[in-house]
Amino acid sequence: MQRPQPVIIALAVVVVMAAGASAALLGSNPPATATGSGASTTSSTTTSTTTSTTVASKATETRPTTTEPRISDPAEAAKRLFDAWQAGDRQRALQVATPGAVSELFALDRRPRPRFTTCRSELPRFRCHYAIPDANGVFFVDMLVAGGASAGYRVVDIAAPLRFANPADAARHLMQAWVDDDKDEARKAASKAAVDDLWDGLKDDRDHPPTLAACTPREGGFDCSWNAKHDAGISMLVVGGASAGWMVEAVDVVGDSD
């Protein structure tokens, strides 16, 4: 028997080693067909995420936004509310005032038309006044405005001073306010000077208040006279008119009311 030739043996060893190497390479790097489903899944997930993001972005872009106007001037807030009231537009009024203030204002008669007079500071808020023309200073609409220049101003309260149908009603209201020692209520029927004169002239005998004698016409209005204790004489000058209402403009106390 012949022995295998060395060359043939060497070739056999090389073939076996090459086959082992190929198997090792196949084990560490699977064929492309084995990873096809994995690649497809990854692509599908990415597409789904992108689509969701795009839809959400479009939804955000098309969502309507509503913002109320920021008003940096209290007088402007009062004016916008006044204009909305005169137009009968509650929705526009609610953009610059609280629901309570809007309800109070819209309950008032819009005629005769008041005119703007001034806004005075009552820090941290403001009071803006609207008066009836030729009403001798009677404020028909009083708006309380709160807020700030950066946050904006809004009307938060409405006060409507009383309009008295005749001179005697205005005089009686002023005297009753004196009996109650309520100067704020007195100001609804009289000027500040008249209120101060009545408080300074009458002493504190509020258990026996004066009684109204009569209101007689005089130049510039009516003279309402009162009977008081100790022969004290009280005269009230009441001015105004049927449309604007009446107010006490001046008070004169004569004699000792002690």
Side-chain angles (χ1 to χ4, degrees):
M1 177 180 297
Q2 289 183 341
R3 295 181 179 177
Q5 296 298 320
V7 175
I8 295 175
I9 294 172
L11 288 174
V13 172
V14 170
V15 170
V16 171
M17 292 178 62
S22 297
L25 289 173
L26 289 174
S28 61
N29 296 287
T33 55
T35 61
S37 59
S40 176
T41 301
T42 303
S43 175
S44 175
T45 301
T46 303
T47 303
S48 175
T49 303
T50 304
T51 302
S52 299
T53 303
T54 302
V55 171
S57 177
K58 288 182 178 180
T60 302
E61 292 173 358
T62 58
R63 183 181 299 123
T65 57
T66 57
T67 57
E68 296 181 353
R70 183 180 63 82
I71 302 173
S72 58
D73 180 13
E76 179 64 21
K79 180 181 183 302
R80 292 193 188 186
L81 176 58
F82 179 85
D83 291 343
W85 170 53
Q86 289 289 301
D89 191 339
R90 283 179 175 266
Q91 292 302 316
R92 183 149 56 98
L94 287 169
Q95 293 181 350
V96 293
T98 62
V102 171
S103 296
E104 291 172 4
L105 184 59
F106 275 69
L108 302 176
D109 187 0
R110 295 196 295 269
R111 296 294 181 270
R113 178 186 174 93
R115 68 185 178 193
F116 176 75
T117 57
T118 186
C119 284
R120 73 172 187 268
S121 175
E122 291 185 358
L123 292 177
R125 300 189 285 190
F126 289 82
R127 285 198 179 274
C128 296
H129 304 293
Y130 282 80
I132 298 176
D134 304 321
N136 298 294
V138 174
F139 292 126
F140 177 63
V141 178
D142 182 33
M143 300 183 181
L144 181 62
V145 186
S150 59
Y153 286 96
R154 289 174 63 83
V155 179
V156 297
D157 190 32
I158 296 290
L162 298 175
R163 288 194 302 150
F164 299 97
N166 56 69
D169 287 345
R172 288 192 185 97
H173 191 90
L174 173 58
M175 186 59 72
Q176 185 59 49
W178 175 81
V179 171
D180 298 333
D181 197 16
D182 189 343
K183 281 192 172 183
D184 290 336
E185 191 65 25
R187 285 286 283 117
K188 294 180 180 180
S191 66
K192 183 178 184 304
V195 172
D196 290 342
D197 287 343
L198 182 61
W199 257 253
D200 292 341
L202 281 181
K203 305 308 178 181
D204 295 334
D205 187 12
R206 288 181 166 86
D207 291 334
H208 302 88
T211 57
L212 181 64
C215 288
T216 56
R218 58 165 288 181
E219 184 179 357
F222 280 78
D223 184 8
C224 293
S225 58
W226 294 77
N227 295 323
K229 291 180 62 179
H230 307 297
D231 296 325
I234 303 170
S235 176
M236 297 182 179
L237 172 60
V238 187
V239 298
S243 61
W246 297 88
M247 68 167 290
V248 179
E249 186 177 71
V251 171
D252 186 19
V253 179
V254 181
D256 185 3
S257 62
D258 285 332

